[in-house]
Amino acid sequence: MNIFFSSRRLQAFALGVGAVLGFAPFGWFPFPVLALALLFYRWQHAPAPRIAARIGFAFGLGYFSAGIGWVYVAMHDYGHMPMLLALPVTLAFAGVLALFPALAGYAQARLHVPLWARLTLLLPAVWVLAELARGYALTGFPWLTVGYSQAAESPLAGYAPLLGVYGVSLVVATSAGLLAWGWQGRAQRSGKLAMLSLAVLWLGGAVLRGVEWTQPHGAPIKAALLQGNIPQDAKFEEGRLIGTLELYRRLIEQTDAQLTILPETALPLLRETLPPSYVERLKAHARAHDGVVLAGLFEREGENYYNSVAAFGNGEEQFYRKNHLVPFGEFIPVRAVLGWLINEVLQIPMSDLARGGAKQAPIRTDGQRVAVDICYEDVFGEEIIRALPEATLLANVTNDAWYGESHAAMQHNQIAQMRALETGRMMLRATNTGVTSIIGKDGRIRAMLSQHTEGVLQGEVQGYSGMTPYARWGNAAALLLALGMLAAAWRLRSR
């Protein structure tokens, strides 16, 4: 652990921790820019590539330890993993994620380029390429992608409909490089040019925020988002089942909404085991308001089990089945080797599910089309846009009760804000313990329930049609920009 025996690495670790303040619930969006600017400065002065890698690892260890430490709560408090095992596993997870900024640090140090090109081309490019790699490797873990810190109040959020979250990350990292360049050359013409470029970049984002990429579709409808606040450790207890069903029936019947959405697995049963009389009451309520009730539950088809959302209303039932499953929580990777971890150490119900289709039809209701995603799926913007342009509304159902009183739920809500910005559509979030919210197409929160309370969030929501540039290009545009910047830096390398 000699990582802590160097002041530069201690400083890098502290910078990583500080960068987390840019994310929800803090929302101090300039902090990641400042943290990256100082990291880039450290990388620039690293005497060797291996030293730059260690600095990057220290930054990443602080960043991820502070940012995703809530993994411990899921494993220890609800997965019943012993503390002496859960703590090192959480730290090891942060360490694995820290390898990506370490790799970025090493890669940039291997290329000798002029200072301005290193700070404004090379470093932003390798940072974003490392984030992209993390977002795809081993099913992907793009949580804390730095672009999320700019949703939704930052001027840089204006770039989201163009380039998506990785494009916003590229602008954040470029801003950090310009800031570092401007500071070092503050008494010279180059420093003034850097600061002028930084101002133009941020002003451009503010201007883009005023662009209307999508158009209203149909008349507004009334939506009701239910938050049952069922304790995670009681959710699957047989003795609590009737009470859970009655709770959601009562909350549903309090509303007069055309679109009523329940959280992920709000009804903790297989669809085939739901009492027919209960289902008929849900359908009758939906028909009375010319709408649908979307309920999270499990489905079985043959030998396969699915984490699903069922739509009850007029006509045939509609379903969405979760496609992007969480390793260990919903499926067991390399079962022959790791199956013991789920079966013997962790106690997670329904932990080996089947995947739904990659492209599924949106749920139809009253002239609108609702693209549903379940829990962790909304972390993957390129998967959300599969439902476009047909979908006019987005809906995320989730259960972040796994993470207790931690910052995970607010971070997850901020991720959903980015999805609204990228697609130009409203996002409706129904959660078990929070954050239940209505998010406008501009990424701003229109209404929100308090966490860890039982309640119904009602509001008028508007569907939208049309395609943002990001909805057409996906992550390809940000990837090509980063590769282009890397290629430009390569051409400027010292010979």
Side-chain angles (χ1 to χ4, degrees):
M1 293 297 289
N2 67 345
I3 188 170
F4 295 111
F5 298 165
S6 162
S7 62
R8 65 163 65 96
R9 292 173 220 161
L10 278 171
Q11 291 167 7
F13 182 89
L15 287 174
V17 173
V20 175
L21 295 174
F23 296 86
F26 310 103
W28 300 342
F29 60 82
F31 271 57
V33 179
L34 295 172
L36 283 184
L38 292 169
L39 173 65
F40 291 176
Y41 178 83
R42 287 292 177 195
W43 273 346
Q44 175 197 332
H45 290 90
R50 70 179 186 279
I51 302 300
R54 291 172 185 170
I55 292 170
F57 183 83
F59 180 93
L61 194 61
Y63 188 59
F64 292 110
S65 295
I68 52 94
W70 38 259
V71 169
Y72 171 84
V73 179
M75 290 190 295
H76 176 263
D77 293 8
Y78 300 112
H80 304 290
M81 182 182 282
M83 180 186 70
L84 293 179
L85 183 56
L87 276 174
V89 167
T90 302
L91 186 60
F93 182 46
V96 169
L97 297 175
L99 292 175
F100 289 94
L103 179 61
Y106 181 84
Q108 63 83 31
R110 297 288 298 176
L111 195 62
H112 300 287
V113 298
L115 174 62
W116 70 269
R118 176 174 300 279
L119 290 173
T120 63
L121 295 174
L122 178 60
L123 288 173
V126 296
W127 178 268
V128 170
L129 290 171
E131 285 196 332
L132 277 159
R134 177 164 60 88
Y136 286 94
L138 301 175
T139 79
F141 189 79
W143 209 281
L144 289 191
T145 296
V146 77
Y148 286 124
S149 66
Q150 306 303 300
E153 298 304 325
S154 166
L156 299 188
Y159 291 100
L162 275 174
L163 301 170
V165 67
Y166 291 109
V168 177
S169 282
L170 191 60
V171 178
V172 170
T174 303
S175 298
L178 287 169
L179 187 62
W181 181 29
W183 173 254
Q184 291 180 78
R186 57 191 179 278
Q188 302 168 10
R189 184 179 178 183
S190 62
K192 295 175 182 177
L193 176 62
M195 298 310 291
L196 177 61
S197 300
L198 178 62
V200 169
L201 198 61
W202 281 64
L203 181 60
V207 170
L208 285 169
R209 295 222 62 166
V211 177
E212 296 290 338
W213 299 102
T214 54
Q215 307 78 41
H217 177 90
I221 62 173
K222 191 171 186 179
L225 314 178
L226 277 53
Q227 182 172 291
N229 197 37
I230 307 294
Q232 184 57 40
D233 51 7
K235 185 176 178 65
F236 292 97
E237 286 184 4
E238 190 173 349
R240 294 288 298 263
L241 178 59
I242 293 176
T244 297
L245 294 179
E246 283 302 300
L247 166 66
Y248 279 109
R249 181 198 58 76
R250 173 173 55 83
L251 293 178
I252 289 168
E253 293 181 351
Q254 287 178 10
T255 75
D256 60 353
Q258 295 142 288
L259 175 61
T260 302
I261 308 178
L262 281 62
E264 177 187 14
T265 61
L267 311 181
L269 287 171
L270 290 167
R271 168 62 188 90
E272 64 192 58
T273 62
L274 272 178
S277 59
Y278 187 86
V279 173
E280 184 51 43
R281 289 194 71 161
L282 300 191
K283 289 183 175 180
H285 178 83
R287 287 194 297 266
H289 298 91
D290 195 26
V292 295
V293 173
L294 306 187
L297 42 67
F298 293 106
E299 267 191 285
R300 181 171 62 187
E301 184 177 57
E303 297 298 314
N304 294 325
Y305 293 83
Y306 299 93
N307 185 355
S308 300
V309 170
F312 300 116
N314 283 319
E316 239 181 273
E317 291 178 20
Q318 304 170 70
F319 290 92
Y320 171 78
R321 293 172 172 175
K322 189 174 184 183
N323 170 257
H324 197 125
L325 304 180
V326 179
F328 301 110
E330 292 176 318
F331 81 98
I332 305 174
V334 199
R335 171 181 282 279
V337 178
L338 301 175
W340 68 273
L341 180 64
I342 294 295
N343 298 327
E344 304 296 334
V345 180
L346 295 174
Q347 300 172 29
I348 300 177
M350 301 299 282
S351 57
D352 200 16
L353 299 169
R355 301 177 188 277
K359 187 170 175 62
Q360 301 179 53
I363 302 294
R364 303 179 302 278
T365 176
D366 196 37
Q368 302 295 338
R369 300 288 185 271
V370 185
V372 177
D373 62 84
I374 299 176
C375 192
Y376 182 68
E377 288 187 303
D378 68 345
V379 182
F380 301 93
E382 200 163 44
E383 297 179 11
I384 298 302
I385 61 175
R386 291 171 184 164
L388 304 181
E390 292 84 6
T392 58
L393 289 166
L394 305 180
N396 173 255
V397 301
T398 193
N399 177 27
D400 286 335
W402 284 101
Y403 308 110
E405 303 283 342
S406 71
H407 299 325
M410 287 299 294
Q411 290 176 355
H412 198 175
N413 194 69
Q414 188 177 43
I415 288 168
Q417 292 176 264
M418 181 60 71
R419 299 290 87 86
L421 281 161
E422 289 173 343
T423 60
R425 281 158 174 78
M426 296 187 71
M427 169 69 86
L428 314 178
R429 302 194 74 236
T431 73
N432 179 21
T433 56
V435 174
T436 295
S437 64
I438 297 174
I439 300 170
K441 71 180 182 70
D442 59 358
R444 294 187 170 96
I445 298 170
R446 300 282 184 86
M448 183 172 69
L449 288 180
S450 298
Q451 288 183 253
H452 306 290
T453 59
E454 176 191 314
V456 177
L457 181 64
Q458 296 195 94
E460 191 174 79
V461 300
Q462 173 67 61
Y464 288 87
S465 61
M467 295 281 278
T468 63
Y470 176 76
R472 297 180 187 279
W473 306 331
N475 293 334
L479 173 61
L480 289 173
L481 273 174
L483 290 174
M485 292 167 70
L486 185 61
W490 176 264
R491 288 180 62 86
L492 291 166
R493 68 192 187 280
S494 301
R495 299 182 183 275

